[in-house]
Amino acid sequence: QLQFVESGGGLVQPGGSLRLSCAASRSTLDSYAIGWFRQAPGKEREGVSCIIGSGGTTNYADSVKGRFTISRDNAKNAVILQMNSLRPEDTAVYYCGSMTRGNCYAGSWYGSSWGQGTQVTVSS
């Protein structure tokens, strides 16, 4: 059973920034693509970004391109999602999970083995 632990969420004003962290074992990070997904109230979970390995391949949903950056922190065995220029519509619970490398490469947002999630609220 894969395990992920998300952290870093909070309340931020529109235009602000947050840095989310997804901690997992080194073997998990090396064996799977890691995806960030989010779920807003009343909506289905949607893909946000994913990374394969140490970052040779990354992918982003159109709604976050140019604002979010995904990376890997090997020292902390974590995948980082840096979120800038946040908007109210980014408000959601953010989850990380595993993806196949093919789905990440193709931008096919199917994931599994979710963590508990971290709440991001963008509001003035």
Side-chain angles (χ1 to χ4, degrees):
Q1 180 74 15
L2 304 180
Q3 291 187 323
F4 300 95
V5 179
E6 303 96 334
S7 62
L11 173 64
V12 64
Q13 293 186 341
S17 298
L18 280 175
R19 184 175 183 268
L20 305 184
S21 176
C22 169
S25 70
R26 184 61 179 262
S27 62
T28 295
L29 298 181
D30 288 342
S31 301
Y32 297 88
I34 306 301
W36 279 101
F37 293 72
R38 66 187 181 186
Q39 188 167 19
K43 295 187 177 181
E44 292 188 354
R45 191 170 301 185
E46 62 176 2
V48 174
S49 182
C50 62
I51 186 168
I52 297 174
S54 293
T57 298
T58 59
N59 212 338
Y60 298 89
D62 288 344
S63 58
V64 305
K65 281 180 181 176
R67 300 188 298 124
F68 291 11
T69 303
I70 193 169
S71 62
R72 182 165 149 177
D73 185 338
N74 288 325
K76 296 183 178 180
N77 288 338
V79 171
I80 306 300
L81 186 68
Q82 178 66 42
M83 306 188 296
N84 298 329
S85 302
L86 283 162
R87 305 168 178 169
E89 54 264 39
D90 294 318
T91 295
V93 178
Y94 283 69
Y95 301 89
C96 62
S98 61
M99 299 176 66
T100 68
R101 294 183 175 213
N103 279 340
C104 178
Y105 186 82
S108 299
W109 302 104
Y110 301 100
S112 62
S113 302
W114 311 110
Q116 83 289 348
T118 185
Q119 176 70 48
V120 171
T121 303
V122 185
S123 175
S124 55

